[in-house]
Amino acid sequence: MRNWTEHPAKADVEAVVRQYFSLLRAGRIPEAEQLIDHHPIRHVLKSLWTGYVEASADGDEEGGSPAAYEWEQDLSWLSELNLADFRWGHTGSHVYVEITYRAQTIEVALGFWVRSTDTGWVITGPATYW
């Protein structure tokens, strides 16, 4: 996990979030989890999957269908998602980032916090925002 001795600059946090998302997109989940103080990955992936399905045009992947659980078996769909705008809170310790699918913002965003620990500053998250 990335650790800073001082509160990291926004650019440093954004770089780590970009690296985290790149690892997710590549299906390198364990590496992504090690980069930040991570919330449960299953929840994050399921939220991204739901946003992805809702944004896709075919709409035949409803909640109860076998395809609804495809995200657990094949993570290739992650490669179709991209980061969009970073939005910082007024304190500089919280950022959320919008996610796009084919240049369309999906309904879920990821939130990250910069927090102090006994060993320095770390990034915690992501939370999912709808």
Side-chain angles (χ1 to χ4, degrees), residues 13-127:
V13 173
E14 290 179 12
V16 170
V17 170
R18 281 186 180 90
Q19 183 181 6
Y20 167 81
F21 199 74
S22 291
L23 291 168
L24 278 187
R25 290 184 70 219
R28 295 165 55 188
I29 306 304
E31 290 175 66
E33 288 179 297
Q34 294 301 312
L35 195 58
I36 61 174
D37 182 18
H38 208 282
H39 292 182
I41 192 69
R42 188 174 194 280
H43 171 75
V44 173
L45 293 175
K46 187 173 183 179
S47 296
L48 289 171
W49 169 255
T50 301
Y52 167 82
V53 168
E54 289 175 0
S56 65
D58 62 61
D60 57 38
E61 296 167 318
E62 295 297 324
S65 70
Y69 299 99
E70 179 182 326
W71 63 270
E72 293 181 284
Q73 309 303 320
D74 177 8
L75 298 176
S76 62
W77 57 272
L78 282 167
S79 67
E80 296 188 61
L81 300 178
N82 290 294
L83 295 178
D85 295 331
F86 283 79
R87 309 244 188 228
W88 282 90
H90 68 281
T91 64
S93 62
H94 175 257
V95 63
Y96 79 89
V97 61
E98 295 175 332
I99 309 297
T100 62
Y101 166 71
R102 296 185 181 170
Q104 174 187 349
T105 301
I106 66 172
E107 292 295 319
V108 64
L110 299 180
F112 299 86
W113 292 265
V114 178
R115 69 177 183 89
S116 177
T117 67
D118 292 340
T119 60
W121 294 85
V122 298
I123 300 172
T124 300

